[in-house]
Amino acid sequence: MKTASFRSSFGKGGKRRKAAMHLIPNLFTTGNLFCGVFAILSVFNGNYLEAAIAVLVAMIFDVLDGKSARLTNSTSQFGLEYDSLSDVVSFGVAPGILIYSWALSGHGTFGVAVMFAYVAMGAVRLARFNSTVAVSDGKYFTGLAIPAAAGVVASLVVLDHYIMKMGADVRSIVVLLMTLGLSFLMVSTIKYRSFKDLKFKGHRQITYLVWGILALMMVAAWPAVMLFVVFAGYALMGPVEKIAGLLVPASGKRGVGKVDLPPVESNP
């Protein structure tokens, strides 16, 4: 009787495994949310470096969340909404409070408005992504993703703590311009590469491996500098590719319109 009851309690193993598969991504999302709340508490305690590191760790949980959901085929509407709400806290509210307390508090109401613009534009970016995720091609994001914007903010705090050590006046101006720029990029229609179309097959596999090893070496050698370079470089990649795409067709049209006439030979 005991053996039969034990087996019957685990008879629906398929459903239990499916529930466990759905639990894994949600646990990573919970870790993301915890890091966001921890970052906010760190800002209240005046520990800006700790808050910035918590935001960066939240990005790791966010990546693991999406990867695990796709690998286990456990993507759900609940997981999507839970992930978006966690992202608003970890990559919207937490960096916004960090920005204001670290650099913009001296601007008074204007600093609050700039901070709110960052948080609001990040929320709009997430809402737009959720409404268009079913029709997107997967190769590009429309607008700068909010985790990437938060990465720029957090890596700048780390860079300033260890290397730059900007004064209060310089810091407020730099962060003010950066925040306005990130807010615009998040709600813009500029395309950003998702790098989901990279295929690690054939002869390119060795090339990607070499570049990956070099990148890891540089991050290990200069972590504070390279983190900011990576995030800021990705944020600028979209506008640079947009401008390049506009200039190349324009130069091509000028080249087509120009016709070389054959030389006219003069009579002797």
Side-chain angles (χ1 to χ4, degrees):
M1 290 294 295
K2 290 183 178 180
T3 304
S5 61
F6 180 81
R7 288 179 179 177
S8 63
S9 64
F10 288 92
K12 299 180 180 179
K15 291 184 178 180
R16 293 178 182 273
R17 284 194 296 269
K18 186 176 180 180
M21 290 302 181
H22 281 276
L23 180 62
I24 293 174
N26 292 330
L27 287 176
F28 285 127
T29 303
T30 304
N32 173 11
L33 180 60
F34 173 79
C35 289
V37 174
F38 184 82
I40 294 173
L41 295 177
S42 297
V43 174
F44 289 159
N45 294 328
N47 196 334
Y48 302 128
L49 178 63
E50 193 175 82
I53 293 175
V55 172
L56 294 175
V57 174
M59 296 182 64
I60 298 176
F61 279 112
D62 187 54
V63 172
L64 294 176
D65 161 14
K67 293 292 185 182
S68 62
R70 286 187 290 271
L71 288 174
T72 58
N73 195 23
S74 57
T75 304
S76 63
Q77 188 63 32
F78 171 82
L80 180 64
E81 298 298 334
Y82 186 30
D83 180 66
S84 296
L85 292 173
S86 300
D87 286 352
V88 170
V89 175
S90 299
F91 308 129
V93 178
I97 295 176
L98 175 60
I99 288 170
Y100 177 77
S101 181
W102 182 56
L104 299 181
S105 58
H107 291 281
T109 306
F110 181 68
V112 175
V114 173
M115 180 269 289
F116 175 73
Y118 173 85
V119 177
M121 295 302 102
V124 170
R125 168 65 177 77
L126 283 170
R128 183 177 65 181
F129 174 79
N130 289 344
S131 62
T132 60
V133 65
V135 296
S136 61
D137 60 359
K139 295 181 180 180
Y140 292 92
F141 296 126
T142 300
L144 180 64
I146 186 173
V152 176
V153 174
S155 60
L156 178 62
V157 174
V158 175
L159 179 65
D160 180 71
H161 179 83
Y162 287 108
I163 296 178
M164 294 181 65
K165 302 186 183 302
M166 294 181 289
D169 295 336
V170 176
R171 182 196 309 158
S172 64
I173 295 175
V174 171
V175 174
L176 179 65
L177 296 176
M178 180 194 69
T179 305
L180 292 175
L182 292 175
S183 301
F184 166 76
L185 290 175
M186 282 191 289
V187 295
S188 68
T189 57
I190 297 175
K191 299 292 185 181
Y192 280 87
R193 295 179 180 271
S194 64
F195 299 106
K196 294 180 180 179
D197 56 337
L198 292 179
K199 297 181 179 179
F200 302 97
K201 296 181 180 180
H203 65 282
R204 292 187 177 182
Q205 183 177 7
I206 302 299
T207 303
Y208 290 140
L209 178 62
V210 172
W211 282 110
I213 293 174
L214 292 176
L216 288 176
M217 288 175 56
M218 295 180 69
V219 171
W222 308 286
V225 176
M226 290 307 302
L227 282 175
F228 180 74
V229 169
V230 169
F231 287 115
Y234 181 76
L236 294 174
M237 181 188 299
V240 169
E241 289 189 343
K242 180 73 172 180
I243 296 173
L246 294 175
L247 293 178
V248 170
S251 61
K253 289 180 181 180
R254 286 196 298 268
V256 171
K258 184 179 178 180
V259 179
D260 294 331
L261 298 175
V264 179
E265 295 182 0
S266 59
N267 295 325

